[in-house]
Amino acid sequence: GLTNDYPFEKDWDLPVPSDLKRHYDVVIIGGGGHGVATAYYLAKYHGVTNIAVLEKGYLGGGNTARNTAVIRSNYLTPEGVRFYSESVKLFRELSNEFDFNIMYSSRGQLTLAHTDATIRSFRQRAEVNKHFGGRTELIDPQQIRELVPTLNMNPADLPVLAGLWHIDGATARHDAVAWGYAKGATKRGVELHQLTEVTGINTENGKVVSVDTNRGSVGCGCVVQAVAGHSSVVAAMAGFRMPLTSYPLQAMVTTPVKPFLDPLVSSSALHCYVQQTGRGEIVFGGGSDPYPLYNTRSTLELKESLIASAIEMFPFMANFKLLRQWAGTTDMTTDYSPVMGLSPVDNYYLDAGWGTWGFKATPICGKTMAELVASGGKVPELIAPFSMDRFDAFRQVNEMGATAASH
Ligand code: FAD
């Protein structure tokens, strides 16, 4: 049977690696979901197992632990919809693939339109989705009332005119995703080194040859960088700049209440999204903080503005008790799409620019990054549009309208 218990002590004898070896075929910097997923697909589908995942903290303790677990594929561009749709498909099968329950919960996502301009853009998104693999449609206020009877249809005097209903919207237990991938990777011989921080990256003739860590140096055939909010910092060690700015992103959760909200509900006009977890807690999220920072503190400002918006949408939430507030550091691109693929350093591969929306991409990132590494640098078609040089060539993949507060 499937369980969702923490796998380390119970059904999984985690091989705890001792010393770092002198050389690995692949060094993955960052033991978040993306890093361990890449290791998993390399080991399981490409037979590459001489891999070290180097994590400065603990497995999945970065943004993988901090996100609000929204999974969806209702993006705006053909490139985006194709990519995220593949990820949703992989997510649906993950519990079976791992034989470990990631608590995938398919409940649909509703985004509210309060203006005619938003309705026009929703119509476009619904059409693009239909063509490229997402299941999304425009719905009217009556259908919205039926889906979410408790929603205030005139929040902050912004009447709800229509909604974008994405039936593929879902959530999953974020920690379990990292644990499942780590379990599958280490079982096949991958070494996960926690409390191991990369402090330097060494190149020879334009090619990466080794990395320095707080536990010594290791040689490597290639490197995958998957460090989310610290992408610019680590890339600087390798000697190049990335088109990213790091901002804090905060979220909050209440104490549990009786189930009343099945779909995920978001309003970009109110900069707020609301969802109820399987345990009954209400999770709130919104936009990034308005200034770059590498600090993961919470602010009263955000708490006040987010709660005000949530109460506009669901007035009875004024009686709920807030349990916790937290933040992560997110690496934002200007077009709200990721940076994946090759870098200016040979054999140094990038999985970055995941900003506020990268949890949902964890499986497809792992799969495509593994293909990239295993092929010795042949960029898979699905991620070719996200290359870093798109910013020099004016080939941005603009997802701003489809990302905003919905993540
Ligand atoms: P991480 O999980 O952050 O892993 C990177 C790891 O790299 C970290 O563990 C870090 O310790 C390590 N690291 C950094 N520097 C070094 C170094 N020098 N040496 C060794 N290790 C290092 N996305 C969604 O799809 N849906 C959502 O609903 C959503 N909500 C979010 C809400 C919040 C509040 C936040 C903060 C983010 C949210 N996101 C969401 C974004 C999502 O969390 C990230 O895009 C995703 O988790 C990135 O995964 P990752 O594995 O790349 O990064």
Side-chain angles (χ1 to χ4, degrees):
L2 294 173
T3 64
N4 72 319
D5 297 330
Y6 187 70
F8 291 81
E9 302 97 356
K10 283 187 98 180
D11 60 341
W12 176 29
D13 206 5
L14 173 69
V16 180
S18 49
D19 293 337
L20 288 163
K21 286 197 286 205
R22 290 181 58 178
H23 188 277
Y24 295 90
D25 294 337
V26 185
V27 162
I28 298 175
I29 312 176
H34 289 215
V36 287
T38 304
Y40 171 88
Y41 288 104
L42 272 169
K44 181 161 179 189
Y45 294 100
H46 301 280
V48 180
T49 54
N50 185 19
I51 302 174
V53 179
L54 307 181
E55 165 55 51
K56 72 174 177 186
Y58 59 94
L59 167 64
N63 285 355
T64 297
R66 293 156 200 271
N67 72 80
T68 49
V70 176
I71 298 168
R72 63 187 180 92
S73 60
N74 57 348
Y75 280 76
L76 190 58
T77 64
E79 297 87 341
V81 177
R82 256 197 303 254
F83 180 76
Y84 294 105
S85 296
E86 284 305 310
S87 208
V88 172
K89 278 188 213 153
L90 291 172
F91 253 121
R92 286 200 194 109
E93 294 305 319
L94 268 194
S95 294
N96 284 332
E97 166 129 16
F98 294 158
D99 192 19
F100 172 68
N101 194 355
I102 64 156
M103 298 176 80
Y104 188 79
S105 167
S106 195
R107 66 259 289 283
Q109 189 206 33
L110 174 66
T111 316
L112 306 175
H114 306 279
T115 65
D116 290 337
T118 313
I119 296 178
R120 268 199 304 280
S121 84
F122 279 7
R123 199 166 276 137
Q124 183 191 344
R125 268 170 80 181
E127 289 308 312
V128 174
N129 277 221
K130 271 178 215 149
H131 278 81
F132 296 101
R135 291 188 297 166
T136 308
E137 57 182 310
L138 195 67
I139 61 172
D140 63 28
Q142 182 52 33
Q143 290 167 296
I144 294 174
R145 272 189 210 99
E146 284 163 19
L147 273 172
V148 192
T150 48
L151 178 70
N152 171 18
M153 295 297 282
N154 194 22
D157 290 329
L158 294 167
V160 174
L161 303 177
L164 191 68
W165 174 236
H166 178 47
I167 196 144
D168 296 326
T171 54
R173 170 109 190 246
H174 38 24
D175 308 304
V177 173
W179 298 339
Y181 278 122
K183 175 182 170 183
T186 53
K187 199 171 76 184
R188 292 175 172 82
V190 171
E191 292 182 11
L192 169 64
H193 290 273
Q194 303 180 86
L195 298 175
T196 306
E197 178 169 7
V198 171
T199 53
I201 292 161
N202 308 305
T203 59
E204 273 172 22
N205 302 321
K207 184 175 165 186
V208 64
V209 289
S210 63
V211 302
D212 302 328
T213 78
N214 57 336
R215 298 173 53 215
S217 297
V218 283
C220 56
C222 71
V223 167
V224 175
Q225 176 193 309
V227 294
H230 290 82
S231 297
S232 309
V233 178
V234 176
M237 295 180 200
F240 60 92
R241 292 185 65 195
M242 295 197 69
L244 300 170
T245 313
S246 291
Y247 294 89
L249 177 68
Q250 304 186 46
M252 303 183 310
V253 67
T254 68
T255 55
V257 294
K258 278 186 184 168
F260 71 93
L261 184 61
D262 197 30
L264 316 169
V265 182
S266 83
S267 162
S268 47
L270 289 170
H271 293 286
C272 182
Y273 64 97
V274 177
Q275 55 179 272
Q276 187 163 27
T277 70
R279 282 191 293 254
E281 301 148 339
I282 304 298
V283 174
F284 310 109
S288 309
D289 288 0
Y291 34 76
L293 199 67
Y294 280 103
N295 191 327
T296 50
R297 84 282 176 271
S298 307
T299 64
L300 179 61
E301 235 175 343
L302 190 280
K303 185 173 356 203
E304 285 180 339
S305 65
L306 204 51
I307 288 177
S309 297
I311 292 174
E312 286 291 346
M313 289 161 81
F314 297 95
F316 54 92
M317 283 191 189
N319 296 319
F320 290 8
K321 288 191 169 52
L322 203 62
L323 178 68
R324 206 165 50 242
Q325 183 187 7
W326 67 92
T329 309
T330 59
D331 47 333
M332 303 291 287
T333 53
T334 47
D335 63 0
Y336 287 65
S337 283
V339 175
M340 294 182 80
L342 308 180
S343 79
V345 174
D346 287 347
N347 291 3
Y348 192 94
Y349 305 118
L350 295 171
D351 174 72
W354 282 110
T356 65
W357 57 87
F359 171 67
K360 69 180 70 58
T362 305
I364 195 63
C365 284
K367 185 164 183 269
T368 50
M369 290 304 292
E371 283 166 16
L372 175 68
V373 171
S375 67
K378 189 169 172 292
V379 179
E381 210 183 310
L382 210 53
I383 63 169
F386 306 132
S387 66
M388 190 156 78
D389 66 8
R390 75 178 183 274
F391 294 99
D392 299 325
F394 300 101
R395 286 194 319 264
Q396 279 92 332
V397 185
N398 191 350
E399 288 290 3
M400 187 174 183
T403 306
S406 301
H407 300 308

